[in-house]
Amino acid sequence: MEQILDAILSGSATRADYSAISVPEAYTGVVVLAEEAEMFAGMATADKNPAKSLHLRDVPTPQVGPGEALVAVMASSINYNTVWSAIFEPLPTFGFLARYARAVPAAAQHDKPFHVLGSDLAGVVLRTGEGVHRFQPGDQVVAHCLSVELEAPEGHDDTMLDPGQRIWGYETNYGGLAQLALVKANQLMPKPAHLNWEESAASGLVNSTVYRQLVSGNGATMKQGDVVLVWGAAGGLGSYATQSVLNGGAIPVCVVSSAEKAELVRSMGAELVIDRQEHGYKFFSEDGALDRREMRRFGAHIRDLTGGDDPDIVLEHPGRETFGASVYVAKRGGTVVTCASTSGYDHHYDNRDLWMSVKRIVGTHFANYREAWLANRLVEKGMIHPTLSAVYPLSGAGRAAAEVHGNHHSGKVGVLALAPQAGLGVTDPEMRARLLPEINRFNAGGV
Ligand code: NAP
């Protein structure tokens, strides 16, 4: 591993140098273990501690098959899917790995009693498999997390519709929270030259998801002037959604749960902010029914802020606790676009709120190849910025995931893999110097 790191840190190693480095037979990664999948049985979700189930382990280096690449990972980040994997909810992820191995014989090596997690990375290509041309050893890259086989015709227009669609590092093994990672080569994208390793690794999953959810025609097709209600606006998805709404010429109404988070989204440029904690919004009454009075109070609050407008778009992901209100407050003809259910999958809404006001509910999930590429291009061009609030070493990934599970974080939480310290990897210092005030404004509270 030392040779690999020396080559990367030297900044002058050639493609031939990288090809000459021998790939270690094993590497260190952040794993959950099949033998521990029942460790939290019977516990409340909030009490399941990712720091107990995530372990640093040496794992055998996987074979690089046709169309694949092995990447030396300098940095990765925590996504909420790391939390789901670590608390074994809604299911332990080992079933996904077994299914992958059954469906695709070449993927048999993914079905192991360990699961190396992580759906983001920034690093350097070390090896490529047969048939890979665009990216080569030595290229600095980030990876998006869409893994598809591309054999079924259903996915040829929109790769998210491929029946073999999987999220890398969640539904496949050998993810990014590790010294090395195995990806399909078509997950690779150029690393933004003005960002350091950990900043580069922060955006992929959430930024691509938000791009499909808000900007793409597969989501809400946001346009200039739209009012967009952003739940969890200082969180992973939300901090990128707030940026997308602002730089797309639309108007975010940001929902957060503390004065610090309100300050953070204001510093990003949002003017209309609701602190849900301060105002005590709770959309279910004691008997478990939707509380229409409370939803009306929330809708009136939004109108107060916007000067009378209801949201054209609601960016949904908290799920059960907010979904009824999201459908209620959306404008007549508006769109609720949902990609998750953090507080529960069993959503309740009053269908009259939907059909009588001709609203739409749109489901989206991650992003297709094209959307992920376009989302990364915005980061490369300095139009969307990483929102890191903290960076942990690989050995601290469990603590980092626990912070996210406990909703104690803002924006994204980074993890250093091979990078010996934060702040390395910038290859366009002029661009960085030009954008530094912006970068600092978005990095959530400094790192
Ligand atoms: P995150 O960084 O934890 O941010 C989520 C935010 O949601 C929090 O900051 C919190 O903000 C807010 N929130 C949490 N519980 C809430 C509740 N009960 N009511 C209102 N707001 C609540 O997580 P993330 O990365 O944004 O991910 C959010 C969800 O989306 C997760 O379930 C994740 O698995 C899912 N996701 C799905 C996809 C996909 O492709 N389908 C992609 C990315 C993420 P405040 O406390 O400040 O309000």
Side-chain angles (χ1 to χ4, degrees):
M1 220 53 84
E2 229 167 86
Q3 258 188 315
I4 296 172
L5 188 56
D6 286 348
I8 297 172
L9 294 179
S10 78
S12 59
T14 62
R15 187 167 292 180
D17 293 334
Y18 279 101
S19 300
I21 296 172
S22 56
V23 173
E25 285 177 6
Y27 67 96
T28 305
V30 176
V31 302
V32 282
L33 301 170
E35 71 205 41
E36 293 185 347
E38 294 300 319
M39 70 188 290
F40 298 133
M43 289 170 72
T45 298
D47 297 334
K48 299 178 181 177
N49 183 355
K52 294 203 167 134
S53 55
L54 293 177
H55 307 286
L56 263 195
R57 285 283 192 283
D58 282 350
V59 299
T61 305
Q63 296 298 313
V64 184
E68 293 183 332
L70 189 70
V71 181
V73 182
M74 292 300 273
S76 181
S77 80
I78 302 294
N79 283 296
Y80 214 92
N81 69 5
T82 319
V83 174
W84 293 127
S85 302
I87 62 172
F88 307 105
E89 284 194 21
L91 295 164
T93 44
F94 295 96
F96 300 143
L97 305 183
R99 207 171 310 147
Y100 188 22
R102 273 200 307 275
V104 182
Q109 63 178 346
H110 287 255
D111 186 13
K112 291 282 190 282
F114 60 82
H115 187 180
V116 185
L117 305 177
S119 298
D120 273 317
L121 69 72
V124 176
V125 176
L126 209 52
R127 287 287 184 277
T128 54
E130 235 177 275
V132 176
H133 306 292
R134 188 179 187 115
F135 289 98
Q136 295 294 324
D139 288 345
Q140 299 201 345
V141 291
V142 291
H144 69 68
C145 64
L146 174 59
S147 170
V148 293
E149 302 311 312
L150 280 181
E151 288 186 316
E154 291 91 329
H156 288 175
D157 269 350
D158 176 2
T159 39
M160 279 308 294
L161 300 188
D162 189 303
Q165 177 269 318
R166 294 179 179 82
I167 298 296
W168 161 74
Y170 177 65
E171 292 164 290
T172 77
N173 215 327
Y174 310 112
L177 285 165
Q179 294 173 321
L180 302 178
L182 183 69
V183 297
K184 290 192 188 296
N186 49 24
Q187 288 175 241
L188 298 175
M189 306 183 292
K191 171 192 166 293
H194 64 293
L195 298 180
N196 61 40
W197 292 112
E198 60 277 13
E199 289 168 344
S200 301
S203 306
L205 187 147
V206 283
N207 185 40
S208 310
T209 304
V210 159
Y211 187 90
R212 184 177 176 105
Q213 215 173 344
L214 286 182
V215 182
S216 165
N218 291 314
T221 328
M222 182 183 75
K223 59 183 190 314
Q224 288 178 327
D226 277 352
V227 171
V228 183
L229 182 74
V230 180
W231 286 106
L237 288 172
S239 58
Y240 285 83
T242 301
Q243 293 188 62
S244 276
V245 175
L246 284 167
N247 78 16
I251 304 160
V253 179
C254 292
V255 187
V256 295
S257 65
S258 70
E260 293 75 34
K261 288 182 177 182
E263 191 45 44
L264 188 68
V265 294
R266 284 204 172 90
S267 76
M268 292 181 183
E271 291 174 359
L272 314 181
V273 183
I274 295 175
D275 181 340
R276 67 184 173 99
Q277 214 63 39
E278 180 190 349
H279 294 276
Y281 287 116
K282 199 163 165 275
F283 302 113
F284 287 98
S285 43
E286 292 307 320
D287 62 1
L290 277 174
D291 186 338
R292 291 192 72 77
R293 215 166 51 165
E294 188 70 346
M295 298 198 301
R296 270 198 296 277
R297 182 166 80 93
F298 185 56
H301 193 161
I302 295 169
R303 283 183 182 170
D304 243 19
L305 294 173
T306 60
D309 290 332
D310 295 325
D312 298 274
I313 300 168
V314 180
L315 182 105
E316 243 299 331
H317 53 88
R320 182 181 163 77
E321 287 182 14
T322 56
F323 200 82
S326 293
V327 173
Y328 176 83
V329 300
K331 183 180 172 177
R332 198 174 176 81
T335 303
V336 177
V337 60
T338 175
C339 76
S341 293
T342 313
S343 65
Y345 300 98
D346 182 13
H347 292 189
H348 290 241
Y349 64 90
D350 186 327
N351 204 28
R352 292 168 298 177
D353 295 337
L354 190 78
W355 100 70
M356 294 293 285
S357 301
V358 286
K359 302 176 189 181
R360 300 187 309 148
I361 296 172
V362 176
T364 66
H365 184 39
F366 188 59
N368 64 32
Y369 281 161
R370 183 77 185 140
E371 289 157 347
W373 186 278
L374 292 173
N376 186 57
R377 181 172 169 272
L378 295 174
V379 182
E380 270 190 284
K381 290 194 168 298
M383 296 169 73
I384 293 278
H385 301 287
T387 61
L388 275 182
S389 60
V391 179
Y392 287 72
L394 207 51
S395 59
R399 279 181 291 126
E403 286 293 296
V404 174
H405 184 33
N407 195 16
H408 303 310
H409 68 302
S410 299
K412 286 300 306 279
V413 175
V415 175
L416 298 180
L418 286 172
Q421 66 196 67
L424 304 175
V426 174
T427 52
D428 188 342
E430 289 81 22
M431 181 174 177
R432 186 175 181 83
R434 188 160 43 79
L435 289 172
L436 200 58
E438 287 285 286
I439 294 170
N440 286 341
R441 200 154 63 82
F442 284 92
N443 269 335
V447 294

